[in-house]
Structure formats: C-alpha cells, structure tokens
Amino acid sequence: MSRPTPNQDIAESEHLKGLGNELYQKGEHDAAYHKYSEAIKKNPKNAVLYANRAAVLLATKQYLNALYDCEKAVQLDPTYSKAWGRLATAQHALASYPQAVEAWDQALSTLPATDRTPAQDAMELQFIQGLKKSYRAVQGPVESNISVLKKDELEEGLLPWDMARKLKARKEAEGKPSCVPMINAANEELEEAIELLSLVQRKKSPQGLEMVRGPVKVLEWFTNSTLSDDRIFHVKEGAQSWMMRMEKQCHYENTHWKGWGESGGPSLIKGEALKMLKKEGWNGVRPALAITVRIWIFLAHFRAKMFGQRDFAHEFYTNALDVLEWGRKTWPNAATHERGVIFEKTFIRGVKKLALENMHGIVATKKKDAPISLQELIEAAQELSEDFRTNPPASGAHTAPTILSFWYYPNATAQSILGWCYLEQALGVYPHNPEDPNTPPSPAEKESLLTTAAECYLTAARYIPPDDELHMQFLRKHLECLCARRRPLRETLPVCQRMRELGPDVMEIWASGSLYGEGVKENLGEVVEFEALNIGECMAGRMTPDDVAVIGFMKGRKRNMVQVSIPDAEGKPEEDKTEIKAEK
C-alpha cells in the first residue's frame, strides 16, 4: 500500500480540522482534542491546528498544555494574532502576568492596521481588555505568605528546626511520639539542598553567555524536604534573588536530565516519555520524568506561598498527579529502581497533601467565587483519607519520620480540612445541600454537621504528635465545634485541660520567634483563660459542669509560610543567557 502524498496528508488534516471544529462548537472537547491531534500528525507545520487544539485545552482549563500549543503556533506563524491572544490567556491563567502582557502586546501588534474585518475588531477589543487585566495583575498587590525572619531570630537558634535539633537526643531517650524526628529529617534535606545550590558555579563566557557547572540534584533535595514537612522550608537570603537562582537551577537541571518541565503538560509528556523509554531505557526516562515532576512541585509550592498564586499551583499539582498516576498504571510491575521513587504511593500521597492544602487555600480565600467547589474539596480530602486507610504502612518497613510525613500527617490534613468544610456548612457560609443552596441547614442538620466537624478535628489531632503546634490547633478547633454545639463544661473543660498539659512541650519547640510563636501563645492563652474562668465560676457555685460556656473562634493567621531572612529591593532581573554545562 502506497504512502499518502504530502498533498493528501494536508487534505486529510483539513478534513480532521473541520471535524474538530464541529465537535468544539458542540462542546465535545475530548473528541475535538483528538481530531486536532490527528490533524497535527498529518500536517505538523500548520499553526492553526495547534491554536485550535489550544482553544480546547483552554476550555478545559489545561493551561500548561495550552501554553505549549500556543507557543508552537506562534513559532510556526509569528503573525498569528489569535494564537498570541490564546498564549496570553494561558499565561495569565498560570499567573505569569508579565509574560501575559508581552503576549497581549504581540497579539495587538499583529492585527492589521487598516481594512479590518468585524471579527478582527472584536479581537482587538478582547486583546485590549486582556492586556488591561494582566497589567493590573502585574501592578496589583501580591498576596504573600512570606514571614520575614529577623537576623536575631536566625542567630538565636530558637526557631522550630533549631529546637528540634537540640531536642533530638532527649526526645529519643523519652521514647514518646514527637514531631522532632520529622522536623529534623525535613531540615536535613533542606540543608543538603542549600549546600548543593551553593556549589553551583556561574560565569560569563567570552560571548556573554552564562556558563553553569555544579550539582544537578538540588531540586530533588528541596522537594524531598517540602514533602517531609513544608513548614520547615526557609531561605537565608532575599526572596527575589533566591527565586531567580532557583528558576535558573530548574532550567539547568531540566536541560541536563532532558526533562519536560518547561515544554508542556501531561499530554505531551506521556507520549514523549514512552518514546524516550523505547530509545534510551529507564536510565534516560526515569530522571527526565523525575525532574519534570519535581520542578512542577517546587514551582507550585513556592509560588503559592510567596506570591499567593494558588490557581497556578493547582494547575501544576494537578499536572504532577496526572503524570504520577499515569506512570503507576502504565508500568505497574516496574521496580522502584527502574521507574523511580516518584511513582511510589508514599511520594504521591505527599503530593496529594500539598495539593489538598492548596485547594483549601483557594476555597478559603475566594469563598463562593473559587474555581473549586466545596464539594470538590470534600471529595479530595475524603480520597486522601481513604488512601491512608487502605494503604497502611507495613510493620517495621519505614522510619518514624517517613510514617509521619507520608501517612499520619496527610491523613490529619485531610481530616482537618473535612472538619473545616463541615463547620463552614454548619455556619451557613456554604450550602450544606448544593442542590438547594438557598435553604439553610435545619437545627438537626446543623447539629449533625457540627458533630462531624468536631470528630474530624479530633481525629486530625490524634494523628499529630502531641508536641506539634498542629495538634494544639486541631484540639482548639475541636473545642470550638463543641462550643458551637452548646455542649456542657463537663465536655469542654477536659479538652482545655489536655491543651494546657501539652502546652510546655509545644511551647518548647514552637513558641520562640514570630513565625509560629505568636499564634501558639495566643491560642493556648485563650484556652487557659477560658478554663480558669469557668472552673472558678463552678467552684464559686455560680455555674455547674452541666452549664454551657463558649470560647470564640480562633483568629485567622497565616500558616505554612515561606520564611526568608531579608526581602530584596525591587529590581528587574537580568536577561538569562544560560549555556548548559552540566556535571553530575
């Protein structure tokens, strides 16, 4: 059978494009995507095909995949206005606002100056509106979870990771459950990453390009630390200069390991990974996939915490989990040393925890305007908790820090977020019945929601060591739910007593410095005052254990902050002219 001629391929691609257009107009996005993909195989030099497939990806909010297709389209046809507009849309959705402004400018500059069609006039209006929106985002305030560590705080050695190091021997001798081993493990991984990063050398070549030599495992250690305990993540230099260094390191390692961290989303990577496996074997594809996923995790975590770009983080966490779940299904029988540790259930569970926390941040800050519904958040939390329940750690197979980081803390996170969701529904912030959103919960439904919320928070506390600030925080939320249910003092005061008794151990690790100290002290102080007041009232005969007293809801405060020592002065980063010279 003879091979189709180039003209026949082009004609077939146009036919497939027409079918794709019809499916897209009907809202059948998956089918349209496949038609455009088939058309691209027939005619890979046609910019319109990539731009049309990008439209499908934008409609389904697959922004990273859309970004790749848009970039391909404008490479093939730099005058293609519609492709520039879609590129700008994808950049804005990924919170890359300066790049979105540049793309909108390109979209406007490629429109005809005269003799425009009505469609082109409409595009101009759309591009101008998009440009204004992206420009406002560039100029607007940044929602940042950065806690600036003062020089004396760093020098005093009283921050949680410092205290954990000092308490290591004593906690081991006591043999009681403690967060200290996990904190030490996470901090040791972080210090290894920082040490490796300091060994990376950059210098200018005679041609003015930046030459890079040094370790290519920095991202591995950084992400390991983040997955172990992201609260420990801190840097000892200006945030902006550090982020620029890390973005260059991402590029350096991605190039060295032939990754796809900068070149598309899951759809592209799955196909390319299978090709690389066939061509280069596991030694080629394993590090390529690992660096891709780790870059996504790093960028998601840091940009969410530093710049408040939670929507960006949600896209990257979703993409990482897509590739990780695909890898487990594609190579179910491959050994860990072949496919890599990133496809282990423990690693995936750690990523799910970070993704869930980020989803919670989106819903909590944007409320009913959030792109993620409360029900989606509940389902994600239930899935993570079920994963913990059905995949318990094998006896004797893991260290205590590993069990805490990849089993107990993910489950505690899921349970605490479920508690938050049910409490929000009980308070009427979110509808308890999505099918009837305007009807508030009945007294019986409210009681049921509060009871479930209290149980979830108590379960979360039970999976956190008693000397962790999270244990006390979850107990406090449990207490608040009991008070909201109007439970008597005989039920609420024992919770207060438990928190007071745990206070010294928690304060020893977490109370120094501004990072967690203020919140821990305020939380414990309010509970101790509530307990003392009501015990005094009972002893004076003015109240009985069957009476009700209510403690206020804990004031909101930022958690999981990125800790930096000194903020950078504002400045425009230099153009990156990096030539890769990698060393293992």
Side-chain angles (χ1 to χ4, degrees):
M1 185 175 180
S2 62
R3 188 184 182 283
T5 66
N7 287 339
Q8 288 174 323
D9 281 340
I10 292 173
E12 179 62 16
S13 74
E14 288 298 309
H15 174 67
L16 290 166
K17 182 184 76 171
L19 295 176
N21 292 346
E22 292 177 9
L23 292 165
Y24 176 75
Q25 293 298 328
K26 294 177 182 177
E28 298 180 24
H29 295 127
D30 287 344
Y33 176 88
H34 289 297
K35 291 300 178 186
Y36 290 137
S37 298
E38 290 177 27
I40 288 170
K41 291 178 182 178
K42 296 291 183 180
N43 186 9
K45 300 297 184 181
N46 187 334
V48 174
L49 298 176
Y50 289 97
N52 284 10
R53 191 168 69 173
V56 173
L57 294 166
L58 288 173
T60 53
K61 298 182 179 181
Q62 299 181 60
Y63 299 116
L64 201 58
N65 283 323
L67 184 70
Y68 169 78
D69 275 357
C70 291
E71 288 177 339
K72 186 69 176 179
V74 297
Q75 287 171 7
L76 292 169
D77 184 359
T79 67
Y80 192 4
S81 302
K82 191 178 292 186
W84 281 110
R86 289 173 183 166
L87 175 60
T89 301
Q91 293 280 23
H92 187 97
L94 291 169
S96 299
Y97 303 125
Q99 293 85 348
V101 168
E102 293 176 5
W104 288 122
D105 281 335
Q106 288 288 342
L108 287 165
S109 69
T110 51
L111 285 171
T114 58
D115 299 326
R116 289 180 181 166
T117 66
Q120 289 170 331
D121 286 335
M123 275 196 287
E124 181 185 40
L125 180 61
Q126 175 194 346
F127 295 163
I128 290 172
Q129 291 173 339
L131 176 61
K132 289 179 179 178
K133 183 178 178 182
S134 296
Y135 186 75
R136 284 195 300 270
V138 171
Q139 300 297 320
V142 173
E143 178 197 344
S144 178
N145 278 0
I146 293 178
S147 173
V148 178
L149 298 179
K150 299 174 183 177
K151 185 178 180 181
D152 58 347
E153 289 182 302
L154 291 167
E155 293 176 347
E156 286 173 0
L158 298 177
L159 292 164
W161 46 90
D162 299 317
M163 296 307 301
R165 187 185 297 112
K166 295 175 183 178
L167 293 169
K168 179 181 178 181
R170 197 185 85 196
K171 292 289 185 178
E172 288 177 352
E174 290 174 351
K176 298 177 182 178
S178 173
C179 63
V180 163
M182 183 185 70
I183 294 174
N184 281 328
N187 194 50
E188 288 166 7
E189 290 164 336
L190 178 63
E191 289 180 342
E192 179 69 19
I194 293 172
E195 173 64 22
L196 291 176
L197 184 61
S198 71
L199 299 177
V200 176
Q201 300 177 2
R202 300 176 184 276
K203 62 181 180 179
K204 296 289 185 180
S205 71
Q207 294 76 28
L209 299 175
E210 189 175 60
M211 309 285 288
V212 185
R213 292 184 183 275
V216 287
K217 291 294 187 79
V218 174
L219 268 294
E220 179 178 326
W221 287 101
F222 265 123
T223 51
N224 284 350
S225 175
T226 300
L227 291 168
S228 293
D229 189 344
D230 64 323
R231 296 172 298 176
I232 305 309
F233 188 48
H234 63 281
V235 294
K236 299 178 180 179
E237 62 179 275
Q240 292 290 351
S241 64
W242 186 85
M243 189 60 188
M244 288 174 61
R245 277 212 298 158
M246 281 305 300
E247 286 182 344
K248 289 184 177 182
Q249 187 68 20
C250 288
H251 176 69
Y252 171 48
E253 294 192 23
N254 186 67
T255 303
H256 174 76
W257 296 117
K258 301 179 184 178
W260 302 280
E262 302 170 335
S263 57
S267 298
L268 168 77
I269 289 166
K270 293 171 187 177
E272 293 299 314
L274 293 174
K275 293 177 186 176
M276 181 180 282
L277 178 60
K278 186 176 293 186
K279 184 178 179 180
E280 301 183 25
W282 285 115
N283 287 338
V285 76
R286 181 179 59 254
L289 284 168
I291 193 58
T292 300
V293 168
R294 289 181 184 277
I295 285 174
W296 286 351
I297 294 169
F298 170 77
L299 291 176
H301 177 258
F302 194 81
R303 286 181 65 169
K305 303 303 180 185
M306 184 173 182
F307 302 118
Q309 294 173 353
R310 294 190 181 95
D311 291 348
F312 169 94
H314 181 64
E315 168 86 1
F316 273 57
Y317 283 135
T318 300
N319 287 340
L321 289 169
D322 186 343
V323 171
L324 294 175
E325 298 287 5
W326 166 81
R328 280 192 65 83
K329 292 176 182 177
T330 304
W331 304 302
N333 300 317
T336 301
H337 72 273
E338 292 180 330
R339 68 184 183 185
V341 71
I342 65 168
F343 294 110
E344 293 301 293
K345 288 184 178 180
T346 47
F347 189 95
I348 296 173
R349 194 177 301 116
V351 179
K352 285 182 177 180
K353 172 182 173 289
L354 294 177
L356 180 63
E357 289 175 333
N358 185 67
M359 289 175 67
H360 182 210
I362 293 173
V363 175
T365 54
K366 296 187 177 182
K367 299 295 182 183
K368 295 176 182 177
D369 294 328
I372 299 167
S373 69
L374 188 76
Q375 187 58 38
E376 288 175 308
L377 180 61
I378 289 173
E379 290 172 0
Q382 289 173 334
E383 179 187 337
L384 181 55
S385 193
E386 180 65 12
D387 180 11
F388 163 81
R389 190 187 68 80
T390 56
N391 296 285
S395 178
H398 305 281
T399 63
T402 298
I403 292 173
L404 288 173
S405 294
F406 298 100
W407 271 278
Y408 289 0
Y409 276 69
N411 185 50
T413 297
Q415 288 294 320
S416 69
I417 288 174
L418 286 172
W420 181 87
C421 292
Y422 298 137
L423 179 58
E424 292 285 290
Q425 288 179 319
L427 298 175
V429 179
Y430 290 93
H432 72 292
N433 182 2
E435 297 180 0
D436 188 12
N438 297 321
T439 302
S442 67
E445 289 169 331
K446 182 176 180 180
E447 170 68 14
S448 176
L449 287 165
L450 288 172
T451 300
T452 305
E455 291 172 352
C456 287
Y457 277 121
L458 185 59
T459 300
R462 286 170 176 161
Y463 281 98
I464 299 292
D467 58 1
D468 195 314
E469 55 95 20
L470 284 175
H471 184 101
M472 185 168 289
Q473 184 182 141
F474 296 154
L475 283 181
R476 169 63 183 267
K477 298 305 294 182
H478 172 68
L479 174 63
E480 290 171 4
C481 291
L482 293 179
C483 290
R485 291 178 57 208
R486 312 292 296 177
R487 302 310 298 164
L489 289 172
R490 68 173 66 255
E491 293 185 30
T492 56
L493 287 180
V495 181
C496 298
Q497 179 184 353
R498 173 65 175 163
M499 293 180 67
R500 174 172 48 79
E501 291 172 349
L502 293 176
D505 287 341
V506 175
M507 298 280 281
E508 186 176 31
I509 300 171
W510 301 94
S512 298
S514 59
L515 181 56
Y516 292 98
E518 294 175 5
V520 170
K521 291 173 184 175
E522 182 179 2
N523 179 14
L524 182 59
E526 289 174 356
V527 171
V528 170
E529 181 181 354
F530 174 83
E531 179 192 31
L533 174 64
N534 288 288
I535 288 177
E537 291 294 293
C538 289
M539 292 179 67
R542 290 186 289 269
M543 296 182 73
T544 73
D546 292 319
D547 287 328
V548 173
V550 177
I551 193 170
F553 284 103
M554 189 165 52
K555 295 177 182 178
R557 62 189 181 88
K558 292 181 179 179
R559 288 194 55 256
N560 294 337
M561 298 179 179
V562 174
Q563 301 96 40
V564 299
S565 55
I566 304 170
D568 278 344
E570 294 293 330
K572 185 177 180 180
E574 294 182 2
E575 182 180 357
D576 186 12
K577 299 178 179 178
T578 303
E579 180 181 340
I580 302 300
K581 298 287 184 181
E583 291 181 350
K584 289 188 179 180

